[in-house]
Amino acid sequence: KGNVQQGGARGRRVKGAGRRPAAWTQGKLTPRQMEIVRLAQDGMRPAAIARTLCLSVATVRRTIASACLTFDAHGLIELLAEVRRRGLLSSEDLAS
């Protein structure tokens, strides 16, 4: 039945499990991912980004990991390079 996985103690089926969000398949970042990428571009570390955006550090790290999957990057440095290469950061973002 495509993309349906067994899950939980009772073996419930989770519809759509294993699917990637549409942004991943389209090579786009979500607004939240872009916000975090911009702050990382400015040299902020995940803990500082988390404080700034009132998020947990784990959420920031997960968001960066998801953005890396979008562009098949193997870490934040590769992600930032790919975002720059694609022109997803405005000149204002790059100037800071």
Side-chain angles (χ1 to χ4, degrees):
K1 286 200 171 189
N3 291 331
V4 178
Q5 296 179 348
Q6 296 291 331
R10 297 180 188 210
R12 291 176 290 218
R13 295 169 75 77
V14 180
K15 192 170 188 171
R19 284 189 191 167
R20 288 185 168 193
W24 286 2
T25 59
Q26 297 170 2
K28 297 178 182 176
L29 295 179
T30 66
R32 175 65 83 186
Q33 288 170 331
M34 281 304 301
E35 185 175 24
I36 289 173
V37 165
R38 281 187 196 100
L39 293 173
Q41 171 66 34
D42 290 342
M44 291 181 78
R45 299 178 67 76
I49 294 170
R51 280 191 304 273
T52 300
L53 301 178
C54 298
L55 300 170
S56 73
V57 176
T59 297
V60 171
R61 288 186 176 142
R62 252 191 325 272
T63 303
I64 291 169
S66 293
C68 285
L69 284 174
T70 300
F71 295 137
D72 198 28
H74 296 96
L76 182 57
I77 301 301
E78 281 186 32
L79 173 64
L80 292 174
E82 185 62 22
V83 166
R84 278 187 228 116
R85 188 185 73 75
R86 292 178 184 231
L88 298 177
L89 290 175
S90 68
S91 56
E92 289 176 0
D93 295 322
L94 293 174
S96 49

